[in-house]
Amino acid sequence: MPPKPPQSSAPASPEQGDISVVLVGKTGTGKSALLNAVRGMVEEDVGAATVGAPPAASAASPCPVMYPDPSHRNLLMWELPMDREGQAERWLGEADVFILVTDGKFEGAHAHLAEEAQAAGKRVYFARTKADLELHTLKRLMGEHYERAEALRALRGVCAESLGSRSLGEPFVFLISAFEPDALDCPQLRAALLKDVQMYEKVLKPTRLGFEVISEREIAEIQEAYELGGLSEVVTRIQCSLETIWNAQLDIAVTGESGAGKSTFVNALRGLSDEDEGAAATGVTETTSQPTPYPYPGYPNVVLWDLPGIGTPKFQAGDYLEAVEFARYDFFIILASERFKENDIHLARAIVGVGKRFYFVRTKVDNALEAMGRRKSPPTEEEVLEEIRNDCREKFAKAGLEEAKVFVLSSFEMDKYDFQTFEDTLEQELPSHKRHAFLLSLPNISSAIIEKKRQLLHQEVWKVALVSSLVATVPLPGLAFTCDVSILLRKLTTYRQDFGLDVASLSRLAERSGKPLEVLRAKVHSTLGRGINKDVVIGLLGKATGTGLVVANFFFHRIPIYGALASGTISFHTTYSMLSQCLEELAADSQRVLLEAFETAV
């Protein structure tokens, strides 16, 4: 049985907020040894930083690496190299405390960062590592004239003077031993950090990220999987969870009387015109003689079934549901194009009687509005729509179907009238995994749908990043960490399709809107939106800078195995950052394309 994660990685956010302490210094200056010393650890301890190894955070992967304090779980320490200009400045807004580390004199970059941090209201400490080596050299050179206290004072003075900044005043420099963690000023530095913890705990709130949904059930399942089979079992569980969501089958029956416009409605819901390849056949007579499946373009697991019209000689109300094999459908959409008819009641009762849901849609509402508009004193559009809704609801209520959901729609203007309410209702009432399939399959006909997709996809990013980070074992060329690019390539390809940015989706939109394809493609600005292959994904990973400290702190408290990931956290942070950034860019591309297609905010 694998060891349990360190206690400091226990789930649930602390009652107080997290305090992020970033140790910044050039590679080789002794940051890892200082990290261990200031946390009261030795290199052999679980969770200790590896001393003398190539830094986990480097120029190739410039995100900080987290090292939780073993006795204060909301004190999170981060190691960050300072090997290139501007590498540390991006973390000024998130870190609470900076420790600037050097094994010699401080340089101009240290002074600049210290000034920037203090100007941002951050606490700044200065640490001179390997000080015992310097003292040993001085003692050998000075012989009997050597005085330890004087040597320490002089060494601090030289380091402080090297900062050369009047705005920093006279900073105290903590002298750190390379071989004796408890010697020199390390205990004083830890005491100062713990005072900071006490101060920040009073004002900082626990980390909360509204867009991340990690349920208590998921946390418990991850913990159980880890205890049963380690990280490999965690990967298996999460992969199964993702596959269940991605492959969820959703079968929607579209029914009603002959001539209600079922086929046109099926095409409109799928983002197709009646003339598009793969569209349901339409006509003035009943064109559907048997239940016919029409998958959403690009989503074969989401199927709209165009059912034969009820009331035709072959499909009478009494045996209609048996004839169309009602058991295969998740729910029914009953269409009526004009007056509410008796067959609508018979069909609704029969559907409820077999334990299925139905939604009633009055189609061709644009025709009704046009007819009412020819009156001498025409009513308002909303008055007409509400009259239609109320008439349908009253007839359902008389039949004992008071809970019936009624919507007025036009198959030729799907973004108008009750479509948003219709979509919201289905989304709320479907099981979670089928809700996911339904929402992603919808054509991007409104800004609201695009935004919902962005939020929905963001909720699974942490799972994809975690699986990708743990499955891979071999670093990729040019990257300082491992991840499974095939998983990322697959997911990013579906992101493009989800937002309607693949060639097939853009071509359909161009035909529907009457805009040239190249005009729409010109609104796609992101690298991923323009094309995707393995090299593109690797390039995106190379540019990713990792998550912010706040996001990383959130995962530390919410994912039970976070403390067991070790260097895998770098891959997780970077992959998570890349996927999140791609989602934002693709959603923005989709919004621009939609606006260009219809030249108005939808």
Side-chain angles (χ1 to χ4, degrees), residues 311-323:
T312 59
K314 289 178 63 177
F315 295 93
Q316 294 299 312
D319 58 1
Y320 181 80
L321 288 183
E322 290 292 343

Side-chain angles (χ1 to χ4, degrees), residues 244-267:
T244 297
I245 294 173
W246 295 342
N247 298 323
Q249 183 69 31
L250 179 61
D251 293 284
I252 304 169
V254 179
T255 184
E257 284 206 329
S258 176
K262 297 186 303 299
S263 298
T264 298
F265 182 76
V266 164
N267 293 335

Side-chain angles (χ1 to χ4, degrees), residues 94-142:
E94 296 191 64
D96 302 299
V97 178
F98 282 86
I99 301 177
L100 305 187
V101 183
T102 184
D103 59 355
K105 293 182 178 181
F106 289 100
E107 300 177 2
H110 294 104
H112 175 73
L113 179 59
E115 290 173 341
E116 293 284 316
Q118 288 187 348
K122 310 297 181 179
R123 181 88 70 184
V124 180
Y125 296 110
F126 302 91
R128 166 57 155 88
T129 59
K130 307 177 186 178
D132 48 349
L133 302 180
E134 192 82 17
L135 294 175
H136 178 74
T137 300
L138 287 173
K139 185 175 182 179
R140 182 171 53 82
L141 292 175
M142 298 178 68

Side-chain angles (χ1 to χ4, degrees), residues 10-71:
S13 296
E15 294 181 2
Q16 297 85 17
D18 295 317
I19 295 89
S20 293
V21 178
V22 178
L23 280 74
V24 185
K26 290 187 176 181
T27 299
T29 54
K31 295 188 301 299
S32 298
L34 177 56
L35 269 166
N36 292 337
V38 82
R39 293 184 299 148
M41 305 177 74
V42 295
E43 191 174 0
E44 292 74 23
D45 289 339
V46 175
T50 303
V51 178
S58 63
S61 179
C63 54
V65 181
M66 178 195 290
Y67 293 93
D69 189 272
S71 57

